[in-house]
Amino acid sequence: MAQLRKITIDPVTRLEGHGKVTIHLDGQGEVLEARFHVTQFRGYERFCKGRPMEEMGAITQRICGICPVSHQLGSAKACDAILGVEIPRAAILLRELLHMGQYIQSHALHFFYLASPDLLLGWDAHPAKRNVVGVLQEFPEAAIQGIRLRSFGQEIIRRLGGKKIHPVFAVPGGVSDALSPQDRDQLLEGFPEMYRAFSCAMEIFQNWWEKNKDEAVGFASFPSNYAGLVDENGNLALYDGEIKISGPAGEPKARFAPRDYLEYIGEKVEPWSYLKFPYFKPDGYPEGSYRVGPLARLNTASGITTPRAQKALETFRASAGCGLPQGSLYYHHARLVELLYALEKAEELLQTEVICSKDVRITVPRPAQEEGVGVVEAPRGTLIHHYRVDSHGVIEDVNLIVATGHNNLAMNRAITSVARTYIHGGIVKEGILNRVEGAIRCYDPCLSCSTHALGQMPLLIELINPQGDRVLELRRNS
């Protein structure tokens, strides 16, 4: 049996939440399977019961400090459905603008802070350097552009909701306040610089891709289903639309209204993780595995409605040749295409005449429906809020399915693929840990969101021999 070893890696890994990976080896030291365990306990769905539905937007956005806007919007849409209202057009546009601010700050955060250390410094760079501080030291201009892009997205959120994190804006029936012409004009002035910052990000990625194409194309690559919102013409939709599920070759498998999600999406529980395993019911479990998020959205949509992002989408698809892009590292490219779309869409929304209208909310005295479903595309993927209330609007039941949950089966397939590629004869080098993490990181998981827990995140990787003994432990401390 291999000698017991323990490797501690510091600083904290570039994921959000608590996770553990176990890799099981056969007698020759080859990988049988790998599992991604989420070790946080899920509790939000339970303690939301008994609360007035008007509080849900404020409560559920506390699930996460990275994507509170997505939870607020999902919650507001679920409450709109319960109230039976169609909110004013200005409120829809302002919610979309808030959403684009979220996309800009979240995608910039992931690319520059979490992914770029692997791309710019290398998988095998020393762990003490392989982080955003290392990027700042070696590539200061890239780091500064990332900070500017994220700050701009946060500024959009602040102008609408009063603060950059946990804003108060989307409410049942609309939004809480109108956008002033002064704020609109000042935001519009920032776009030229943001497009330049985006070009910097895309140049970094494309240069890295060309130098590492052979490894990148096959990294954690596997066929799967894909899911995402699309508009009435099948184009990319981030705030509203129908849920479309397509197969590995892009063939359509289902398209349905968000309120009907339970007919198509089931959830399984495994004893080794607190994170549930959603699946596409018609294909069964686990064959019904599907992916969500940037790669899935671009593989599901027929096109993008803004010109620069549409051109970037065509380049993205051409990079994969004849078939759909399937490698997990394509998520980074897809994320940048969406970042460009978010910039264009935000600028388009701000140039809309009605954006400063004061008609931004409808109020009604009591619920019109017992249930409501709100679905948006969070930066990490499809987010579902489903509430059931009594006649006074008090919450009786809650179901939340977040992006990281949808990707649970896919992330387990991704780390198994990477472990089988790089681990042979039971030999593991430090860079293996980072590649396994990198496979998870492609999906930009938020484990706090997915289990709705509080806390920090160490990542632990264990190698298990055929007798069930732990032969190696690789740990990242929080």
Side-chain angles (χ1 to χ4, degrees):
M1 186 178 71
Q3 184 180 2
L4 181 65
R5 291 183 291 160
K6 180 177 180 180
I7 302 172
T8 302
I9 300 176
D10 203 9
V12 66
T13 182
R14 286 167 275 132
L15 297 175
E16 298 151 13
H18 289 260
K20 183 176 81 170
V21 172
T22 55
I23 301 172
H24 296 257
L25 307 179
D26 64 15
Q28 288 72 47
E30 301 298 303
V31 173
L32 291 172
E33 69 171 340
R35 288 177 174 175
F36 178 41
H37 310 254
V38 178
T39 57
Q40 294 173 300
F41 180 73
R42 182 174 186 164
Y44 262 78
E45 290 168 331
R46 180 65 185 86
F47 64 69
C48 285
K49 293 182 180 179
R51 307 306 306 175
M53 69 177 190
E54 292 84 359
E55 293 183 358
M56 291 298 286
I59 293 173
T60 56
Q61 70 167 309
R62 260 66 184 184
I63 291 171
C64 183
I66 302 299
C67 47
V69 167
S70 303
H71 284 288
Q72 187 178 93
L73 292 174
S75 177
K77 291 182 69 177
C79 292
D80 293 343
I82 291 172
L83 294 175
V85 298
E86 292 189 9
I87 68 173
R89 174 168 166 71
I92 295 174
L93 299 183
L94 288 168
R95 285 185 183 181
E96 285 193 80
L97 180 59
L98 186 76
H99 203 28
M100 294 307 101
Q102 162 78 356
Y103 264 80
I104 294 167
Q105 73 88 13
S106 181
H107 278 4
L109 168 70
H110 185 269
F111 182 79
F112 285 100
Y113 295 15
L114 306 183
S116 72
D118 295 328
L119 309 185
L120 295 175
L121 303 172
W123 293 111
D124 298 305
H126 193 282
K129 183 179 180 181
R130 200 177 54 218
N131 50 59
V132 68
V133 176
V135 172
L136 185 61
Q137 292 172 337
E138 297 291 330
F139 303 93
E141 182 59 27
I144 290 171
Q145 296 296 350
I147 291 170
R148 286 173 176 162
L149 263 172
R150 187 176 187 227
S151 178
F152 184 68
Q154 290 177 310
E155 184 62 14
I156 293 175
I157 295 171
R158 188 191 70 79
R159 298 267 181 170
L160 294 172
K163 51 185 179 178
K164 297 178 179 178
I165 300 174
H166 299 143
V168 180
F169 192 63
V171 295
V175 298
S176 59
D177 202 0
L179 177 68
S180 73
Q182 292 78 14
D183 282 337
R184 175 199 59 194
D185 295 343
Q186 289 177 12
L187 286 173
L188 281 170
E189 291 174 358
F191 282 91
E193 182 183 359
M194 293 307 106
Y195 286 123
R196 289 193 294 271
F198 166 79
S199 297
C200 172
M202 186 60 89
E203 183 178 357
I204 289 171
F205 180 80
Q206 289 180 330
N207 287 340
W208 179 86
W209 188 268
E210 287 303 315
K211 294 175 182 176
N212 299 274
K213 192 171 183 178
D214 291 342
E215 180 184 30
V217 169
F219 185 89
S221 181
F222 51 89
S224 74
N225 297 322
Y226 301 98
L229 287 177
V230 294
D231 68 13
E232 64 275 14
N233 297 315
N235 293 314
L236 176 72
L238 302 180
Y239 173 72
D240 201 17
E242 291 185 323
I243 298 175
K244 179 182 176 183
I245 295 181
S246 58
E251 71 277 20
K253 286 194 166 184
R255 183 167 171 169
F256 52 91
R259 63 177 178 275
D260 298 327
Y261 79 97
L262 288 175
E263 295 180 23
Y264 298 90
I265 297 174
E267 293 182 278
K268 294 286 287 186
V269 175
E270 296 288 357
W272 43 271
S273 179
Y274 282 117
L275 180 55
K276 292 189 288 186
F277 293 78
Y279 64 99
F280 180 50
K281 281 183 177 179
D283 286 355
Y285 180 84
E287 291 77 12
S289 168
Y290 58 90
R291 289 190 266 186
V292 299
L295 176 63
R297 285 189 288 255
L298 296 195
N299 280 349
T300 302
S302 58
I304 298 179
T305 56
T306 58
R308 295 184 189 183
Q310 173 61 29
K311 187 174 181 180
L313 173 64
E314 292 167 4
T315 300
F316 166 78
R317 288 176 171 166
S319 70
C322 298
L324 289 180
Q326 295 186 329
S328 296
L329 283 172
Y330 279 105
Y331 264 92
H332 296 318
H333 193 173
R335 195 166 284 115
L336 291 178
V337 175
E338 288 192 339
L339 175 54
L340 179 57
Y341 168 74
L343 286 169
E344 288 186 292
K345 186 66 178 179
E347 186 177 26
E348 176 186 298
L349 290 165
L350 284 164
Q351 291 171 337
T352 304
E353 186 175 352
V354 75
I355 197 72
C356 290
S357 168
K358 297 185 183 301
D359 180 18
V360 295
R361 188 178 185 188
I362 292 176
T363 58
V364 295
R366 61 182 63 251
Q369 308 289 338
E370 294 181 347
E371 294 185 61
V373 177
V375 176
V376 298
E377 285 292 333
R380 294 161 181 81
T382 311
L383 171 64
I384 300 173
H385 279 228
H386 183 184
Y387 307 154
R388 184 163 55 83
V389 301
D390 67 11
S391 60
H392 302 288
V394 175
I395 297 292
E396 292 185 331
D397 195 25
V398 177
N399 189 35
L400 306 175
I401 305 180
V402 304
T404 300
H406 293 293
N407 279 330
N408 200 1
L409 282 165
M411 289 189 290
N412 277 275
R413 292 181 68 179
I415 62 169
T416 298
S417 173
V418 171
R420 286 175 176 167
T421 299
Y422 294 98
I423 298 176
H424 299 287
I427 299 173
V428 182
K429 298 179 180 179
E430 191 283 328
I432 298 298
L433 169 65
N434 193 41
R435 285 175 170 82
V436 172
E437 277 189 287
I440 300 171
R441 198 175 297 127
C442 292
Y443 296 83
D444 192 16
C446 182
L447 308 185
S448 296
C449 263
S450 62
T451 59
H452 324 312
L454 303 173
Q456 298 173 308
M457 180 188 179
L459 178 69
L460 175 69
I461 295 183
E462 295 178 341
L463 288 182
I464 309 296
N465 69 11
Q467 291 73 42
D469 301 318
R470 185 177 61 192
V471 299
L472 178 65
E473 177 181 291
L474 306 171
R475 180 186 296 274
R476 288 188 182 279
N477 292 328
S478 61

